Amino acid sequence: MFLQQLINGIALGSTYALIALGYTMVYGIIALINFAHGEIFMAGAFVGLLMVGVFKLNIFLAMACAMIFCMIMGVVIEFIAYRPLRKSSRLSAFISAIGVSTFLSSLALMVFGANAKGFPDQAFPSQQISIGDADISTLQLLIIGVSAVLMISLEFIVQKTKVGKAMRATSEDYNTAALMGVNVNFVISFTFALGSALAAAGGVLVGMLFNAVSFNMGLMAGLKAFAAAVLGGIGSIPGAMLGGLLLGVTEVFGVAIGYSSYRDAIAFAILVLVLLVRPTGLLGRKILKKV
C-alpha cells in the first residue's frame, strides 16, 4: 500500500512541478508572479481534450499541440499584459495578471460551459500493474515518465544552450545582461513560452489523471503550484521540481491517513511551516530586485 500511495503522490507531484516551473522561471527572470499561469494550464488541458476528442489525435500529438498553442498564448500575454508594465510598480503587473486570469477563465466558461469534460476512454487505455499488494496504473507511469523527460529537457536547455545561458545572465542582472548584448525581450518571451509549454503538458496530464477538464481547474492547481515554487525556493528550477514532488506526495499520504477533507489545506500548511524555518524555501536564495 505504501508503494501505491508513493506512486500516486509522485504522479500528482510531477504535475505540480511542471506548473511550478513556469512560476519560478518568470520570477527568476523579472521578479513577476504570473497569476494567469493557472489559466494557461487550463487552456492546455482543453486544447489537449479537443485534439483527442474532436481531431482523434493520440495523446502525445495532442499534448504537443497543446504545448505549442500555450507557448504562443504565453508570449502574447507577456507582450500585451506585462511588457508595457515592466517599468511600472509590481502592483500594476499584479492587477494585470489578475485581469488576464479572470478574462481567460470567463472565456473558457463561455466557450466550454460550467460542466467538467472528460477524456475519451481511447485517449490512453490505462491498465493496472500489480507489484506486491500495490496496484499501479500505466497512466501514472506515463505521467511520471513524461514529466521526467520534460524536466530533464528544461534543465538541459537552461544549463547547456545559448538561450539558457542568456536566461541565467538575465536572471542574475537584467540591466547588465542587456548592456552585454543579451536580447532581454527575447529571453523574457522565451521564458514565458517555455513555462507555458510545461503548464500545458501538466494540464493534459492532470485532465487525464482525474478525467476532468473544467474552466476553473487552473485556480487551485495554480495556487498549489505556486506554493510548490515558493516551498522549493522561488526562482530555483530544481526547487520547483522538489517542491512539487513534496507537495504531491504529502497530499496523497494525508488523504490516505484520513484527512481527505483537508487535502487542499495540506499544501499551504506545509508551505507555512517550511517558510517559518527557511524563508527562502528549501533550495532558494535571495534574489536581487529586478529593475
Side-chain angles (χ1 to χ4, degrees), residues 95-116:
I95 294 172
S96 181
I98 293 177
V100 173
S101 173
T102 303
F103 170 77
L104 292 176
S105 60
S106 299
L107 181 63
L109 175 61
M110 291 173 58
V111 174
F112 299 105
N115 295 328

Side-chain angles (χ1 to χ4, degrees), residues 190-210:
F190 182 81
T191 302
F192 270 84
L194 206 56
S196 298
L198 294 174
V204 174
L205 294 174
V206 168
M208 294 175 60
L209 180 63
F210 296 106

Side-chain angles (χ1 to χ4, degrees), residues 106-191:
S106 299
L107 181 63
L109 175 61
M110 291 173 58
V111 174
F112 299 105
N115 295 328
K117 312 291 191 299
F119 278 81
D121 293 337
Q122 67 270 22
F124 185 80
S126 183
Q127 299 178 349
Q128 297 293 322
I129 300 174
S130 296
I131 302 178
D133 61 348
D135 292 325
I136 301 169
S137 72
T138 52
L139 176 58
Q140 291 171 327
L141 298 179
L142 171 73
I143 291 171
I144 294 171
V146 170
S147 299
V149 169
L150 290 174
M151 287 188 278
I152 291 171
S153 299
L154 172 65
E155 188 68 13
F156 176 82
I157 291 172
V158 172
Q159 298 296 334
K160 302 296 183 181
T161 66
K162 186 175 180 180
V163 69
K165 185 177 182 180
M167 290 171 65
R168 287 183 280 119
T170 305
S171 176
E172 288 293 331
D173 194 309
Y174 177 99
N175 291 321
T176 301
L179 290 173
M180 295 298 292
V182 175
N183 186 342
V184 293
N185 284 330
F186 171 79
V187 169
I188 293 170
S189 294
F190 182 81
T191 302

Side-chain angles (χ1 to χ4, degrees), residues 19-29 229 233-237 239-240:
I19 315 169
L21 286 167
Y23 283 112
T24 206
M25 285 193 297
V26 169
Y27 186 87
I29 296 291
I234 192 74
S236 168
I237 290 177

